[in-house]
Amino acid sequence: LSPPATECLTGPPLPVRPDPRLDRRLVSFQADRDRPFFSWFKYKEAFSADLVRLLLEEYGPPGGRLLDPFAGVGTTPLVASALGWDAVGIELLPVGCFVATCRRAALHIDPAEFRRCLRPLENDPWPDTIDQAAPYPHLTITQGAFPPAAEQAIASYRAYCARRVPDPGLRDLYHLAALSVLEDVSYTRKDGQYLRWDERSRRTKGRRAFRKPRVEDFRSAVLAKLRRMLDDLESTPFPENELFPQRKTSSRPGALDLIQGSCLDLLPQFPARSVGLVLTSPPYCNRYDYTRTYALELAYLGCSDTDVKQLRQAMLSCTVENRAKRDALNGFYSRLGRAADYRRALRAADAHSALRESLAFLRAEASAGRLNNPHIPRMVENYFVEITVVLMELARLLTPGGRAIMVNDNVRYAGREIAVDLILSDIASTLGFEVETISALPRGKGNSSQQMGRHGRAELRKSICIWRRP
Ligand SMILES: C[S@@+](CC[C@H](N)C(=O)[O-])C[C@H]1O[C@@H](n2cnc3c(N)ncnc32)[C@H](O)[C@@H]1O
């Protein structure tokens, strides 16, 4: 099912090369599991600091600005800045932005002050900050997520942070500690596309009851996290020292700019030829709904139901709920006086023969009732249109000789693999990039159990595309 390594969809053969240095650990958050600072919050969609370092060392030295338009928890801009690049990260999801900002704030936190604020929380009972004024600000979809004792303890902790942790940067780190244990102390589990609910929450709709083996106590979990953070702050004064011990901050860190918003709105505002390197990983075309899996965290950060609905639609289309952004993008580019640019991008996506063929196949499968959701064809189509618009902007922003490096996964629906890496590389080349290489992980990813049952096991390629502006 996977296309052979050099299969080309429309033009000359594309260079897909297995790269023995790449493995699943490196290309995911797993390699950062025990790393000081980077392990504080588990963002399953992140890639590792080591991957960023590997790529930057290969495609450095710093020259021009580095941009990550899908920055997540800020791995790329943080590592790049530590290596001396001036780095900009754009991220839409408030969870990613908050974690990235906290990681940056950690550079300037006084461990003694951190310890001072921790002490009262180590006493039993907790300081008397409990009141009903700081209850958990639930979303409709998070009601019932915590056992009553956890709900109460979180409210108390939030009140403590608000009243007894005066420094705003330090207060953010205290909130980060809570944010990072919410899943562990709840009746939920992040399960790929959805948030899975324990039967004790009384919210389970599935036929098969699910019971989490362990629901942790909030107080113990948050204290353990705070102690771990303090330990990192005391033993590793600067994350860049930990990341690059051989350098010992000999190189001056570059500027670090984190912008919250949609890259579809923000990229057109960047001046042409203002970026030297792009290193990014967009959402994959895999139906993962970040606004649902991170619902507890979004609620904690104060997002309302309306905010979450708007976020879901503003995200790059990768769920069956996303509606097309074509009209909005058309209006937006017309107002910028760049309607022709938008039409060019649209043509590059719409005219791609392999993509068209895949979409026709998916629509036929949907009509025959063989897709488990009838909106999958719409999602795939919108995904490619929107990424194409991003690629068009990246081509405009990069200086000659600059590269865009993109980590992505191929996907499979109704037994057919969609070679996201090859299709996007093809589209990139029609938008002015040269495809330098597509580095594939030697081992791909198994398909979902549902797909496996019906279509057998065939690995999906995970790869890193390197596109260069001539
Ligand atoms: C695969 S993750 C990137 C993770 C990142 N490499 C890291 O190490 O944390 C993709 C990110 O794109 C973000 N995203 C989705 N749509 C976006 C948009 N329109 N603009 C900016 N970011 C977006 C998601 O919230 C998610 O954090």
Side-chain angles (χ1 to χ4, degrees), residues 319-335:
T319 79
V320 288
E321 287 175 67
N322 284 110
R323 290 186 294 273
K325 298 185 184 52
R326 281 180 187 244
D327 289 347
L329 284 167
N330 190 25
F332 179 53
Y333 274 92
S334 300
R335 284 193 297 283

Side-chain angles (χ1 to χ4, degrees), residues 122-269:
E122 289 180 312
N123 296 335
D124 208 7
W126 265 7
D128 188 21
T129 52
I130 304 172
D131 63 15
Q132 294 313 307
Y136 197 85
H138 276 292
L139 293 163
T140 309
I141 57 171
T142 65
Q143 297 284 350
F146 303 108
E151 183 101 21
Q152 171 86 62
I154 298 171
S156 167
Y157 183 81
R158 286 167 63 87
Y160 179 83
C161 293
R163 296 191 193 145
R164 307 275 184 91
V165 186
D167 177 74
L170 183 59
R171 194 182 313 131
D172 278 353
L173 290 195
Y174 269 68
H175 281 308
L176 178 66
L179 206 71
S180 67
V181 301
L182 290 181
E183 180 182 357
D184 297 338
V185 305
S186 77
Y187 287 139
T188 70
R189 195 171 74 190
K190 294 180 183 15
D191 252 5
Q193 295 166 0
Y194 303 106
L195 203 55
R196 200 161 177 203
W197 288 79
D198 184 292
E199 57 188 356
R200 283 164 288 181
S201 67
R202 300 201 197 89
R203 283 185 56 125
T204 33
K205 289 195 215 112
R207 278 155 306 209
R208 261 187 296 149
F210 158 64
R211 209 172 166 91
K212 263 176 108 169
R214 193 173 143 78
V215 175
E216 287 185 33
D217 166 60
F218 176 76
R219 196 186 136 98
S220 325
V222 81
L223 278 176
K225 181 63 70 169
L226 288 165
R227 288 183 189 124
R228 166 78 208 258
M229 290 165 79
L230 177 60
D231 200 38
D232 286 353
L233 287 166
E234 285 181 334
S235 54
T236 325
F238 296 105
E240 55 263 44
N241 280 353
E242 190 282 327
L243 272 174
F244 313 110
Q246 70 283 21
R247 293 171 175 260
K248 291 285 176 207
T249 63
S250 54
S251 63
R252 191 187 59 81
L256 176 53
D257 199 5
L258 302 168
I259 311 176
Q260 181 160 358
S262 169
C263 62
L264 291 167
D265 297 333
L266 293 166
L267 291 178
Q269 297 173 26

Side-chain angles (χ1 to χ4, degrees), residues 19 21-36 38-39 46-59 74-76 78-80 82-83 103 239-246 279 407 464:
D19 185 336
R21 295 171 306 171
L22 303 179
D23 61 29
R24 202 145 278 285
R25 224 179 107 72
L26 186 71
V27 188
S28 75
F29 74 97
Q30 286 170 19
D32 284 343
R33 264 205 168 135
D34 299 316
R35 187 188 282 284
F38 285 81
S39 60
F47 45 43
S48 70
D50 280 337
L51 177 71
V52 176
R53 177 172 57 171
L54 182 89
L55 292 168
L56 292 186
E57 286 181 349
E58 190 153 338
Y59 296 101
T75 318
T76 302
L78 283 153
V79 175
L83 279 175
R103 285 169 157 190
E240 55 263 44
N241 280 353
E242 190 282 327
L243 272 174
F244 313 110
Q246 70 283 21
L279 171 51
V407 179
I464 305 185

Side-chain angles (χ1 to χ4, degrees), residues 29 32 43-49 52 68-77 90-94 96-97 103 259-266 279-284 290 294 311 313-318 325 386 390 407:
F29 74 97
D32 284 343
Y43 197 55
K44 291 186 181 162
E45 294 72 18
F47 45 43
S48 70
V52 176
D68 184 349
F70 299 99
V73 287
T75 318
T76 302
I90 300 174
E91 170 60 42
L92 179 60
L93 199 72
C97 297
R103 285 169 157 190
I259 311 176
Q260 181 160 358
S262 169
C263 62
L264 291 167
D265 297 333
L266 293 166
L279 171 51
T280 195
S281 170
Y284 303 156
Y290 292 75
Y294 288 97
L311 266 175
Q313 289 306 326
M315 300 281 281
L316 194 90
S317 291
C318 61
K325 298 185 184 52
E386 292 161 30
V390 172
V407 179

Side-chain angles (χ1 to χ4, degrees), residues 97-123:
C97 297
F98 180 74
V99 176
T101 309
C102 286
R103 285 169 157 190
R104 184 176 54 183
L107 292 169
H108 311 287
I109 289 300
D110 173 11
E113 181 62 5
F114 192 110
R115 181 178 282 286
R116 192 189 65 72
C117 292
L118 177 57
R119 227 167 273 133
L121 288 173
E122 289 180 312
N123 296 335

